[in-house]
Amino acid sequence: MKQYSIVISLLGALLYGIAQSVAADNTKLEDDANRIAAEALKSPLAYQILESLTTEVGPRMAGTEQDALAVKWAVEKFKQLDFDRVWTEPVTFPVWQRGEESASIVAPYKHQLAVTALGMSIGTPEQGIEAEVVSFPTLKHLSEADPKQVEGKIVFINHKMERHRDGRGYGPVVKGRGAGAVEGAKKGAVAVVIRSVGTDSHRFPHTGMMRYADGVKKIPAAAISNPDADLLQRIIDRGEPVRMHLQLDAKIVGEYTSANVIGEITGSEKPEEIILIGGHLDSWDLGTGAVDDGAGVAITMAAAAFIKKMGFKPKRTIRVVLFANEEQGLVGAKAYAKAHADEINNHITGSESDFGAGRIYEFQSNVQSDALPFVHQLQRALKPLGVEYAGNQAGPGPDLIPLYRAGMGVFSLEQDGTDYFDLHHTPDDTLDKVDPEALAQNQAVYAVFAYLAAQYEGRLDLPEQKKKQ
Ligand SMILES: [Zn+2]
């Protein structure tokens, strides 16, 4: 009996000792996280990176000369920031060229419209297309319309986007941008023009991707600015036939091979295990891609660089991936997932920054229940940065979709996107729209997230039931 009690008390003391040292490690870790946060909040690093990208490269649409320049810029920037490894991986895709574009209302009144071709649209014949306009409030209304209403006409989808902090107004409206040309062509339309998918009332049209479908005739697709959409609708509402002229030079010209650019801070204990953060390096051509997605590039490069700069040694590797050609179909993301298919399991978790430069106000996780101690640790560490925990339902950033589908747990660090869709894919997406303090807060949140995830001992996989979906 006596021996047992000695063993038990020794065991108790041992367990107590372990618990104490775990608690001490956790306290140390949380202190480190607080130090990273405090320093990163004061640092202009992300803003300096964003200034450099938007000034030295500017617009960088996939397949253009500036795409190549952006890749070169990113490689050099990673090296300047003292990343341990820097490399590129090839990404090949068809090259879409915009060319000249114009649109006008020709009857019953004459108006020039602010127009932009949608990405991947074909052009019109050289002399343009002139036809009567038929208007629908949403894609669904077009899909349900009698083809006799549509045949031979230019379809106008006038779906107004709602403004919300989390950007949820985008999903329902962007369907018309993606599928408007297919639905219109099925009913005999000669072109489709949409109200811009955006919340602003400036005369800037918003570009973005559209799609064709096999077996459906390809028709040109464009967006007009929101004030022009209002004007067009007012004239249509007067009841007389309205005629529009549309001229687009857009076309596909061969193939191009760009690159995902990758930099990492190599893990000191488990270098093969990866915490992935990043954004997409390409942008649309109209603005300088400051908020979409120069901000994400700058935030994540700065966050990882910061950890090393402060002398911390992450146990796992922190990898920053700057994806090629997100805008025209997640091409870089698919190439990355394919190239790393046999080490997907080593991708412990990830978070992409691709929603502008607004402050992060909440975060969500999407991990199995035994990883919740990590989530709570992150919750404590992010609270001083004004970030609340909002549940275990995080969706992946666009470029993380292939990795998420392969089972990687994800975190979403959710930014205030109230103004994001005023700028998104327009000539107005420029550096002056970015608040340096908000950008620094993003850099601090990403640095804390990446560091704590790198130090965490356990896995951060998706919950089992989600993996099977
Ligand atoms: Zn983006």
Side-chain angles (χ1 to χ4, degrees):
M1 262 322 266
K2 204 175 174 193
Q3 276 168 332
Y4 282 134
S5 62
I6 289 170
V7 169
I8 286 168
S9 49
L10 278 177
L11 200 62
L14 187 66
L15 286 175
Y16 180 75
I18 290 171
Q20 285 292 86
S21 88
V22 166
D25 281 357
N26 278 338
T27 310
K28 160 98 171 64
L29 192 55
E30 290 183 18
D31 284 349
D32 289 348
N34 290 338
R35 271 182 59 207
I36 290 171
E39 287 297 310
L41 268 185
K42 290 185 285 184
S43 161
L45 185 58
Y47 193 79
Q48 287 164 350
I49 295 170
L50 184 56
E51 192 276 336
S52 166
L53 176 61
T54 52
T55 306
E56 294 157 34
V57 182
R60 44 202 181 275
M61 185 164 74
T64 60
E65 266 179 45
Q66 287 108 309
D67 177 340
L69 192 59
V71 168
K72 203 165 153 266
W73 173 90
V75 168
E76 281 166 17
K77 192 60 72 182
F78 272 130
K79 288 181 180 165
Q80 275 174 23
L81 292 169
D82 201 23
F83 276 69
D84 297 324
R85 282 180 68 210
V86 181
W87 72 101
T88 63
E89 296 178 359
V91 180
T92 302
F93 46 81
V95 177
W96 180 74
Q97 279 180 359
R98 176 179 299 286
E100 296 291 310
E101 48 200 12
S102 68
S104 53
I105 301 171
V106 292
Y109 313 111
K110 290 195 192 310
H111 288 279
Q112 199 67 37
L113 304 173
V115 71
T116 186
L118 297 180
M120 288 293 138
S121 174
I122 60 163
T124 60
E126 215 176 314
Q127 71 280 15
I129 290 173
E130 192 192 306
E132 192 181 325
V133 182
V134 57
S135 165
F136 297 97
T138 68
L139 177 69
K140 189 159 177 281
H141 289 86
L142 167 61
S143 305
E144 289 165 357
D146 183 343
K148 281 189 227 128
Q149 260 187 289
V150 175
E151 224 176 317
K153 292 182 184 160
I154 295 175
V155 160
F156 171 48
I157 303 175
N158 189 24
H159 197 167
K160 201 167 182 177
M161 183 180 164
E162 288 176 15
R163 182 186 296 279
H164 293 284
R165 182 166 70 163
D166 63 1
R168 67 179 183 275
Y170 186 63
V173 182
V174 80
K175 288 182 187 153
R177 191 184 80 200
V182 167
E183 290 305 309
K186 279 185 195 165
K187 295 177 195 287
V190 292
V192 63
V193 171
I194 63 164
R195 179 188 189 92
S196 280
V197 183
T199 45
D200 62 301
S201 56
H202 291 182
R203 279 193 88 193
F204 291 126
H206 296 234
T207 191
M209 264 305 264
M210 55 79 62
R211 295 182 301 276
Y212 292 117
D214 291 341
V216 180
K217 190 171 183 252
K218 293 182 179 180
I219 59 172
I224 56 174
S225 80
N226 290 336
D228 287 313
D230 291 338
L231 171 73
L232 177 58
Q233 189 63 52
R234 285 200 307 276
I235 300 176
I236 291 168
D237 289 345
R238 292 185 173 206
E240 269 183 80
V242 177
R243 294 187 70 78
M244 182 189 280
H245 180 264
L246 178 69
Q247 199 271 323
L248 307 176
D249 285 346
K251 56 178 182 280
I252 303 256
V253 212
E255 275 198 341
Y256 179 75
T257 298
S258 181
N260 290 328
V261 186
I262 304 168
E264 65 182 34
I265 309 296
T266 307
S268 58
E269 290 181 19
K270 299 177 196 164
E272 72 290 353
E273 294 193 354
I274 297 154
I275 307 301
L276 192 158
I277 56 176
H280 62 87
L281 188 55
D282 69 310
S283 75
W284 283 107
D285 51 338
L286 304 178
T288 59
V291 304
D292 186 13
D293 184 24
V297 166
I299 289 162
T300 54
M301 280 178 123
F306 214 78
I307 292 166
K308 184 172 179 191
K309 212 172 122 190
M310 285 187 71
F312 292 108
K313 291 192 168 44
K315 291 179 184 171
R316 286 168 165 153
T317 290
I318 298 174
R319 181 177 288 180
V320 180
V321 183
L322 307 181
F323 293 94
N325 199 353
E326 183 268 350
E327 295 291 2
Q328 299 174 6
L330 310 182
V331 193
K334 289 171 192 163
Y336 181 89
K338 205 171 160 199
H340 298 271
D342 56 359
E343 49 158 355
I344 294 282
N345 208 37
N346 279 341
H347 287 69
I348 301 301
T349 190
S351 187
E352 179 176 20
S353 173
D354 185 19
F355 195 47
R359 272 173 200 277
I360 296 172
Y361 62 95
E362 66 178 26
F363 81 97
Q364 293 211 35
S365 54
N366 202 340
V367 292
Q368 66 205 21
S369 56
D370 63 5
L372 287 178
F374 170 74
V375 172
H376 295 136
Q377 183 179 57
L378 186 61
Q379 185 178 8
R380 287 191 296 278
L382 294 183
K383 204 167 172 60
L385 292 169
V387 182
E388 300 290 337
Y389 182 51
N392 200 35
Q393 291 292 331
D399 292 302
L400 300 189
I401 292 171
L403 295 167
Y404 171 80
R405 290 199 174 135
M408 183 179 82
V410 293
F411 284 76
S412 65
L413 308 175
E414 291 168 3
Q415 294 168 292
D416 185 329
T418 307
D419 301 333
Y420 181 64
F421 289 105
D422 291 345
L423 311 167
H424 186 246
H425 300 181
T426 74
D428 223 7
D429 178 358
T430 50
L431 182 66
D432 51 291
K433 312 304 185 304
V434 175
D435 170 5
E437 284 183 14
L439 202 67
Q441 187 254 10
N442 274 267
Q443 140 189 293
V445 173
Y446 269 85
V448 167
F449 162 71
Y451 187 65
L452 289 181
Q455 302 311 87
Y456 180 63
E457 297 292 335
R459 292 206 49 100
L460 294 165
D461 295 338
L462 283 181
E464 279 305 318
Q465 70 275 19
K466 289 189 188 152
K467 280 192 191 176
K468 286 173 199 138
Q469 275 170 8

